[in-house]
């Protein structure tokens, strides 16, 4: 879900940078509220609600087989690849 919102694969959600990327992706699309105080599960729920709204408004999409199950996404189609961002360079502590 967040890959399609961001256009790249964010860091794991349990890392500070991963949570930050998810909050900023939702905020950039107009999701309001104090997202910084939400749990990771609540952020996932916000993204799912945004995807459902996107589909209802005609600019979302879905993947899967309707007979087996689908996943609703906030984009019309998935990119072929969502590459991760390079890891930040580590600087030695003095």
């Amino acid at each position: 879900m967040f890959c399609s919102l961001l256009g790249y694969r964010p860091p794991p959600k349990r890392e500070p940078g991963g949570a930050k990327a998810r909050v900023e992706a939702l905020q950039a699309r107009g999701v309001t509220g104090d997202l910084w105080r939400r749990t990771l599960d609540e952020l996932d729920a916000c993204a799912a609600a945004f995807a459902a709204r996107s589909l209802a408004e005609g600019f979302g999409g879905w993947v899967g087989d309707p007979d087996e199950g689908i996943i609703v996404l906030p984009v019309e189609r998935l990119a072929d690849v969502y590459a991760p961002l390079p890891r930040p360079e580590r600087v030695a502590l003095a």
Side-chain angles (χ1 to χ4, degrees):
M1 177 87 59
F2 283 100
C3 292
S4 65
L5 285 173
L6 293 165
Y8 63 89
R9 195 168 63 223
K13 63 182 170 182
R14 301 222 182 271
E15 291 182 7
K20 180 178 184 287
R22 286 159 175 79
V23 167
E24 290 174 351
L26 292 168
Q27 288 176 330
R29 280 150 187 88
V31 177
T32 60
D34 191 2
L35 297 176
W36 293 105
R37 292 183 179 265
R38 299 292 163 216
T39 67
L40 296 171
D41 290 337
E42 289 171 325
L43 294 178
D44 287 342
C46 288
F50 181 77
R53 181 178 144 212
S54 299
L55 185 66
E57 292 180 352
F59 60 93
W62 54 271
V63 295
D65 182 339
D67 292 332
E68 297 177 11
I70 63 167
I71 297 172
V72 175
L73 297 169
V75 294
E76 289 185 28
R77 67 180 288 280
L78 288 172
D80 292 332
V81 175
Y82 292 99
L85 292 178
R87 289 259 183 209
E89 185 177 319
R90 300 285 181 186
V91 179
L93 298 175

